[in-house]
Amino acid sequence: MKPNNLFSRIGRLSLNSITRLGTATRFLLQVLMRSGTSWRRFQLIIREIYSSGVLSLIIIVASGLFVGMVLGLQGYQTLQTYGSAQSLGVLVALSLVRELGPVVAALLFASRAGSAITAEVGLMKTTEQLQAMEMMAVDPIARIVAPRFWGGVISMPLLAAIFSMTGIYGGYLIGVRLLGVDDGTFWSQMQSAVSFREDILNGVIKSTVFGFAVTAIALFEGYDAVPTAEGISRATTRTVVTSSLAILALDFILTAFMFRGA
Amino acid sequence: MDRTLLDFWVGLFVTLGIAALFALALKVSNSEGFSRGSTYTVVASFNNIGALKVRAPVKSAGVVVGRVSAIHFDNKTFEALVSMQLDSRYTFPKDTSASILTSGLLGEQYLALDPGGDSHNLVNGDTIKITQSAVVLENLISQFLYNKASDSGNQNNGGGAAKAGVKP
């Protein structure tokens, strides 16, 4: 390949990605500006909370339970070496509330609800339902996109909280019921180490940010999809990949800000 | 889907989520119990604070009575200034002594208050005069090794002298 050709390819690639980022930002701003209708017709948001929140509940509860149980087993093995198996509750609760709860719940949410949103909106675009709405003077962003966005943003922190709580009970099940850590020590050590403002509230903030990012990416990919069958499949894949990477990168940034030192 | 059924499921989901948050708040975390209650601040200076950190517990007789609120370095006396917030429910005599101890062998460090016998109590802004610094493990080990080394050095010297004495 000639160097001239190589450079023009790099240039085209970066220009394209910058344009795409700009389009996505404008799209997000439009969604935020036109979401008044969906808040006035709250039934629209409730429907979306059902499809992205309630339907994700089973996978969230099951994964939370298993993640908690694995934490209980692994943590017990490691802590036992130092003779401090009583701190198992602290380990399980802090790792779930600070990191695993928001992050794993958001990753599951991206693959369960985000992909569904992209596929749905992309198919609406392919079958020209969005244009049809515009023809009838119904704003598709206000009627289709905004309710899905707020439904996802509301569902995500609730799902993360449910994930953390089932995870802690999973750790309790393994640690206390199976491996014989003392019941009272498990909870009291946890209570003295976990603080509401520093740990739990920061976890809630994290999961809200993740919900924001995942639904925004999913909606944009769906709305921007090439209106063919292949285009939808590509958009769905891109949603899962991009939002997973976004979750992990955002998690690093948020953690660096929230849990610095102390 | 039927609207009432939809409302029911969403209601259940939201209630479950909020219940999980409440459970996290009440059962898992400590909501920072008494730091919100009224406190008074007392200062103590130490030669060495070891690994004491801000928010470390202040204990007396093993009971948490406050928290370390700030740690500074005094550039005049070259000592560490530790401010602690004590719960106003608890009062201590003026000649209370403070020492930095470690919970367990490898646990985190905390400040222990040992009450004296003075009839006046510590009030906001007072300074604790009698303090005992943290034990630094490295110093202990190096002291121990130094003693060992000087002991064995003496023995070697003695042995050498004896040998020299035997050989003509």
Side-chain angles (χ1 to χ4, degrees):
Chain A
M1 191 188 293
K2 280 184 223 158
N4 196 14
N5 223 345
L6 175 76
F7 285 131
S8 56
R9 254 179 90 164
I10 291 175
R12 196 164 58 235
L13 213 72
S14 30
L15 280 178
N16 275 348
S17 50
I18 290 171
T19 316
R20 214 173 141 68
L21 198 65
T23 323
T25 315
R26 278 181 55 189
F27 174 76
L28 183 62
L29 281 179
Q30 279 194 339
V31 172
L32 289 178
M33 264 159 34
R34 297 193 206 168
S35 42
T37 323
S38 53
W39 284 101
R40 277 192 295 279
R41 290 176 62 189
F42 201 69
Q43 200 61 36
L44 291 175
I45 295 185
I46 286 184
R47 180 173 286 275
E48 298 313 322
I49 294 179
Y50 179 81
S51 64
S52 59
V54 177
L55 294 181
S56 310
L57 209 53
I58 293 172
I59 190 174
I60 289 285
V61 168
S63 334
L65 198 66
F66 279 111
V67 167
M69 292 201 295
V70 168
L71 272 178
L73 277 175
Q74 293 280 15
Y76 185 80
Q77 298 284 342
T78 312
L79 289 173
Q80 185 73 335
T81 329
Y82 302 102
S84 49
Q86 300 85 21
S87 310
L88 186 67
V90 182
L91 182 125
V92 170
L94 276 185
S95 42
L96 273 168
V97 167
R98 282 186 177 180
E99 287 299 328
L100 290 176
V103 172
V104 178
L107 289 175
L108 291 171
F109 183 77
S111 37
R112 165 67 187 76
S115 58
I117 288 174
T118 306
E120 195 182 7
V121 176
L123 195 68
M124 279 183 180
K125 187 184 181 187
T126 310
T127 51
E128 295 178 342
Q129 292 179 45
L130 296 181
Q131 283 98 316
M133 286 182 116
E134 269 180 78
M135 294 287 283
M136 293 187 287
V138 176
D139 183 1
I141 288 189
R143 176 65 181 77
I144 298 292
V145 177
R148 282 171 177 70
F149 179 73
W150 290 111
V153 172
I154 293 170
S155 304
M156 189 58 238
L158 298 173
L159 287 174
I162 293 171
F163 186 96
S164 298
M165 206 55 226
T166 34
I168 288 168
Y169 270 102
Y172 169 82
L173 222 63
I174 290 295
V176 175
R177 299 280 143 166
L178 195 72
L179 298 172
V181 176
D182 184 60
D183 194 349
T185 334
F186 185 86
W187 291 111
S188 69
Q189 289 238 359
M190 189 192 294
Q191 280 172 1
S192 66
V194 180
S195 102
F196 181 71
R197 209 184 53 225
E198 300 271 316
D199 299 319
I200 292 175
L201 222 56
N202 276 345
V204 172
I205 293 172
K206 262 189 188 179
S207 54
T208 315
V209 172
F210 295 159
F212 206 89
V214 169
T215 31
I217 289 169
L219 284 167
F220 176 69
E221 292 291 357
Y223 203 78
D224 194 53
V226 179
T228 55
E230 197 197 352
I232 294 176
S233 97
R234 280 190 176 194
T236 314
T237 312
R238 264 208 308 271
T239 295
V240 177
V241 173
T242 317
S243 45
S244 304
L245 289 177
I247 289 164
L248 295 172
L250 277 173
D251 180 52
F252 173 72
I253 295 169
L254 287 173
T255 307
F257 273 109
M258 286 170 174
F259 302 109
R260 206 168 24 180
Chain B
M1 179 179 271
D2 186 21
R3 180 167 161 173
T4 48
L5 200 62
L6 193 84
D7 283 352
F8 167 74
W9 279 110
V10 172
L12 193 72
F13 167 62
V14 172
T15 320
L16 214 65
I18 291 173
L21 265 180
F22 262 97
L24 284 175
L26 296 178
K27 189 144 186 163
V28 176
S29 78
N30 55 356
S31 324
E32 272 149 31
F34 68 68
S35 68
R36 235 177 285 132
S38 65
T39 55
Y40 62 102
T41 307
V42 175
V43 185
S45 58
F46 293 91
N47 285 324
N48 192 331
I49 58 162
L52 191 75
K53 290 193 182 75
V54 174
R55 273 179 56 75
V58 178
K59 293 182 186 177
S60 187
V63 182
V64 178
V65 294
R67 296 219 173 256
V68 173
S69 58
I71 296 173
H72 296 290
F73 182 67
D74 186 347
N75 212 1
K76 294 207 175 69
T77 58
F78 302 109
E79 286 186 330
L81 275 181
V82 176
S83 322
M84 62 200 102
Q85 287 187 323
L86 304 177
D87 195 329
S88 17
R89 278 179 301 172
Y90 309 116
T91 53
F92 292 93
K94 281 260 188 214
D95 57 348
T96 294
S97 65
S99 42
I100 297 173
L101 302 178
T102 311
S103 51
L105 197 59
L106 299 165
E108 63 170 1
Q109 294 196 299
Y110 65 94
L111 236 163
L113 294 181
D114 211 1
D118 202 308
S119 53
H120 295 285
N121 282 333
L122 284 170
V123 290
N124 194 25
D126 270 0
T127 307
I128 294 179
K129 304 278 185 331
I130 313 160
T131 60
Q132 191 193 335
S133 291
V135 173
V136 180
L137 209 58
E138 286 88 336
N139 290 352
L140 260 182
I141 293 171
S142 70
Q143 211 165 14
F144 174 73
L145 287 179
Y146 182 77
N147 286 345
K148 264 282 189 216
S150 64
D151 279 359
S152 61
N154 285 340
Q155 271 176 8
N156 276 352
N157 281 347
K163 268 183 188 170
V166 168
K167 270 192 178 176

